[in-house]
Amino acid sequence: MRAWIAFVAGLLFGLGLSLGGMTQPAVVLGFLDIFGAWDPRLVFVMAGAVLTTAVGYRLLLRRPRPLLVERFQWPVSRRIDARLVGGAALFGIGWGIAGYCPGPALASLGAGAPALLVLVACMIAGWWLAARLLPPAGGH
Amino acid sequence: MHPYLGALCGGVLIGLAAVLLMAALGRIAGVSGIASGLVVGGASDRTWRLAFVLGLLAGPLLLWWLRGDSGIGAPQVGLPWMALAGLLVGIGTRLGGGCTSGHGVCGIARLSPRSLLATAVFMAFGIATVFVLRHLLGVGA
């Protein structure tokens, strides 16, 4: 049951990404290109996603626990440090180079483009490297 | 459908996915966190993570089935740039504890100061990178 719900959540997520244009790196790079021909589509995607999530999370906060597991795992870390900022900066550079963040990169794999396989393989290598070289920290 | 309306609807679907995952499994829908847990996390909760990633892959296929166009676009830069981008995205999201979904959507929805800062930083660096590559170095489209 958990796996099926997770699959449906992933499916909605992937459908949203592709409908919103996020699986088109040209659109994503167009959004980041504020000094060129700016494409504001990502603003609409983010607005729709953030507002929906904010309303949904508020409703969930009234519930004692999730439907299928013991507890909600709300992120608890409040630490603002060089690791957070440095990581976000490296991610931003990588995002700006190719126009893929992790969700759209994985969702685009179905088209079978070799360049996407290379990007995702390197992304996985990056996850592995960072986990090997750095002590664990709280997510989000 | 107008591109802006499609983008808004796409965003709402992403939000619904995030709410569903929290409602049922109590988890933040951060793609880098969910997927990297398959590579480096504990072995106990791999099943739902793998199911989420498979669903993510199936999303554009469903769109293709619905309207005959998956919405998947072509890469804009060459292989060496794709490799470098992947590596930076991997290291950066693990180091920073999230990506566009975990920090940008779920974190901002919770008004998490960490996520607001991380999102501002990766947006700024993404914009700066595109400016340097496109307008100073002439890389890509």
Side-chain angles (χ1 to χ4, degrees), chain A residues 2-26 29-37 39-42 44-50 52-57 60 65-69 71-75 77-81 83-98 100-103 106-111 113-116 118-120 122-131 134 136 138-140, chain B residues 1 3-33 35-37 39-40 47-49 51-63 66-67 70-79 81-110 112-115 117-119 121-123 125-131 133-135:
Chain A
R2 288 178 205 183
W4 281 108
I5 296 279
F7 178 82
V8 171
L11 185 73
L12 287 173
F13 203 111
L15 184 65
L17 287 172
S18 51
L19 183 64
M22 294 303 95
T23 48
Q24 296 177 48
L29 293 174
F31 164 76
L32 294 174
D33 191 10
I34 59 172
F35 301 104
D39 183 337
R41 256 182 279 182
L42 186 50
F44 290 84
V45 178
M46 289 296 283
V50 168
T52 305
T53 307
V55 171
Y57 277 5
L60 289 177
R65 46 169 286 191
L67 296 172
L68 301 179
V69 292
R71 61 190 179 88
F72 291 112
Q73 296 196 28
W74 300 107
S77 172
R78 300 190 64 81
R79 183 181 295 178
I80 304 262
D81 56 11
R83 178 174 175 153
L84 176 76
V85 175
L90 290 179
F91 164 45
I93 295 169
W95 191 35
I97 290 174
Y100 288 103
C101 50
L106 291 169
S108 299
L109 276 179
L116 244 307
V118 169
L119 182 134
V120 169
C122 289
M123 182 171 79
I124 291 170
W127 285 335
W128 186 82
L129 270 176
L134 294 155
H140 309 291
Chain B
M1 192 185 290
Y4 294 171
L5 185 61
L8 192 65
C9 291
V12 170
L13 286 175
I14 291 168
L16 289 176
V19 175
L20 175 64
L21 200 65
M22 184 56 76
L25 301 185
R27 292 289 191 146
I28 291 280
V31 174
S32 60
S36 71
V39 189
V40 294
T47 312
W48 75 268
R49 291 173 187 269
F52 181 87
V53 172
L54 290 175
L56 198 58
L57 271 133
L61 300 177
L62 176 60
L63 189 63
L66 289 172
R67 69 169 192 190
S70 69
I72 295 177
Q76 300 290 299
V77 292
L79 268 185
W81 288 112
M82 291 289 275
L84 177 64
L87 200 59
L88 289 172
V89 167
I91 293 173
T93 52
R94 187 83 202 170
L95 202 60
C99 57
T100 340
S101 47
H103 280 313
V105 175
C106 299
I108 289 183
R110 298 186 309 117
S112 151
R114 269 172 63 82
S115 292
L117 177 66
T119 304
V121 170
F122 67 64
M123 289 273 179
F125 274 82
I127 287 167
T129 301
V130 168
F131 177 74
L133 289 182
R134 273 198 179 172
H135 301 296

